[in-house]
Amino acid sequence: METQTGTDKTRSSNSDKHPKGTQARILLSSVFGPYAQDDEFGSRSINPMELYHNQVTRAQGSFSLRMFHRSWGIMMIQANISAPCTVLDFPNRDDFARELTAHQYDVVGISSIITNVGKVREMCRMIRELSPHSVIVVGGHVAAIPGIETMINADHIVRGEGISWMRRYLGENEGAPIRHPAIVSGMRTRIMGIRLPERKGATAATIIPSVGCPMGCNFCTTSAFFGGKGKFVNFFETGDELFEVMSRMEDELKVHSFFVMDENFLLHRERAMRLLERMKEAGKSWTLSVFASANAIRKYTMQELVELGVSWLWMGLESPRAGYSKLQGTDTRELTRELREHGIRVQGSTIIGLEHHTPDNILAEIEHAVSHDTDFHQFMLYTPVPGTPLYQQIADEGRLLPGVDYADIHGQFKFNFKHAAISRDDSKRFLDWAFWRDFELNGPSLYRISRTLLAGWKRYKDSPDARVRERFAREMGRLSGIYSSALWAMERQFRKVDGKVSAQIRALRQEFKQESGVWSRMLPAVLGPVLLWTTRREERRLARGKTYEPPTILERTHWVEA
Ligand code: B12
Ligand code: SF4
């Protein structure tokens, strides 16, 4: 691990240790729900605890991909300490209160991002009342708020990497190798009104090779939080280490597929290429979902990416005129097209409200963004977030808007700063327009990912590389009948949104038919009408205001009842 580690903003110095050391009982909790509602603690209906529905597919109605992700930061900390530890994920206030009083916790750690600071304040209050002897430790991005020490009643506020901080606090070896917990990447997945069955091995495992990103884009909070430009923290330095972890996950979780949670995985080429070597030696036909910047992707040939198993790529498109170094010299539309032709699903990410945007040019920029025809497209407002260079700059220029609640600073609502040409209310209009335009023009993401899968299958079904062949055959075999059925329903449901897209969906369905086996060819006749019915039922539910919440999860390690 590199040395950039968590620093403590409050009373103690870094040499402080808990007197009970590894005998201390630890509770680590995420902030409390429910989340998808408006309340005084900072929940917002526009800010649900869902990745896709929050910031990617939110305009796609019943076609929106709904799923939840665990709080990986506290899971990582739990797996790397030897003290008795409970992780409480997505509690409501009653769950949290019950856990505080049911056991004598020496340390209560809360993990939060900035938007949820109101919940952290309330949880600190509850701990002081219900478990007054507990030491309160707060970590995660919330720690970047200027003056946080005066906003919440905590004993330690930890900025940056938390595993090493917690190990140090408990008197453990902070430089010991990282133990990666077994993490199923998503849960309670829902689309077109049905919840997908959760079979062991069906969902990817999350792997977290590092935190932070050395590119240091001015708005980027993850980069800034772990040291900024040129800095990051590696949990697994080499391709060999990564291969070992992934092999262990493959055994434990019975997966072939990995969601690699690293802000810029492909930037570390040596590590990725060594991983590929090991995969080839061991004949591993793995599937990888990764985040990478355009300049990092360009370091690889398409063949290398395909051999590495990259099947889903999250790439920042931001804006062609923004001048970010990661985009220099790259035609992102061409790159996206090429990736998709090789069966790699692309999730683009575009910023709305950059400094050069005006009411006159922003619609053209949105058109440019949606013309990438990515499989998924995230749109986010340009947002100065505490802790970033952008925040400092906007603050110095006196352009931060006073009185904006932290709960509303998440990039999906309205500007939190004075923009030269776009008003606060218009920022939301343009953002909403971008989501809607992408959906209207390119259709449901589920259709787009089916199209990319089919392109990859056609290209690689006869690949001389058995690992590559196996990967596409696995996905096609498992999904072609399901995708065809979904396309059957989508085609009908989308007629009322856009006839042209509906016709495209139909054409794709015909292609699937040609490429599928007998069973998959027959399935749409049965499953298609069912999916159409569940889709329409879901539309009605959503219109009535239905929202989804993650389940509460409690996990104990090294636990002996007191
Ligand atoms: C997974 C994820 C989610 C999941 C949340 C799952 C959950 N259970 O909370 C989903 C998809 C639901 C989500 C939603 C949102 N997210 Co989010 N999310 C992430 C993502 C991609 C990964 C987080 C992660 O696990 N990282 C890996 C772990 C190991 O790192 P970590 O969490 O930072 O934890 C380390 C340290 O922070 C620290 N630490 C963390 N907790 C604690 C606790 C203690 C006690 C201690 C000592 C230390 C400590 O130690 C850990 C190990 O080093 C990050 C981006 C990223 N790359 O980190 C964004 C990120 C955290 N999300 C962000 C945002 C803004 C949001 C949203 C507001 C959506 C949006 N509009 O973008 C919503 C909020 C939803 C809500 N109502 O709360 C921002 C936070 C910005 C900020 N400065 O606060 C991030 C950084 C993305 C970004 N670059 O903008 N998110
Ligand atoms: S390349 Fe992406 S992850 Fe890295 S600093 Fe820029 S925005 Fe952040």
Side-chain angles (χ1 to χ4, degrees), residues 28 35 47-51 54-55 69-74 76-77 89-90 109-116 137-141 158 160-163 165-166 208 211 220-222 225-226 235 261 263 380 385 410-412:
L28 298 174
Y35 309 95
N47 191 24
M49 192 52 87
E50 294 173 82
L51 170 57
N54 184 323
Q55 46 194 304
H69 298 82
R70 294 285 309 277
S71 303
W72 300 323
I74 47 179
M76 288 290 281
I77 296 174
D89 220 351
F90 312 122
I110 305 167
S111 178
S112 174
I113 62 174
I114 289 175
T115 41
N116 294 323
V137 184
V138 171
H141 287 268
V158 179
E161 209 287 288
I163 299 172
W165 187 92
M166 194 58 91
I208 308 175
V211 284
C220 182
T221 87
T222 19
F225 195 62
F226 295 99
F235 293 138
M261 185 56 254
E263 285 291 36
M380 273 276 178
V385 176
H410 50 68
Q412 291 297 330

Side-chain angles (χ1 to χ4, degrees), residues 367-380:
E367 280 309 302
H368 173 80
V370 302
S371 74
H372 282 77
D373 196 5
T374 52
D375 297 86
F376 292 96
H377 211 130
Q378 166 182 262
F379 295 94
M380 273 276 178

Side-chain angles (χ1 to χ4, degrees), residues 213 215-217 219-220 223 263-264 293 318 326:
C213 172
M215 294 303 290
C217 300
F219 60 86
C220 182
S223 176
E263 285 291 36
N264 209 335
S293 55
E318 324 307 8
K326 64 181 176 178

Side-chain angles (χ1 to χ4, degrees), residues 376-411:
F376 292 96
H377 211 130
Q378 166 182 262
F379 295 94
M380 273 276 178
L381 286 180
Y382 193 52
T383 305
V385 176
T388 59
L390 178 65
Y391 183 84
Q392 197 52 53
Q393 178 207 323
I394 300 278
D396 292 347
E397 292 167 4
R399 291 201 289 145
L400 287 177
L401 293 175
V404 180
D405 193 326
Y406 281 115
D408 294 316
I409 305 177
H410 50 68

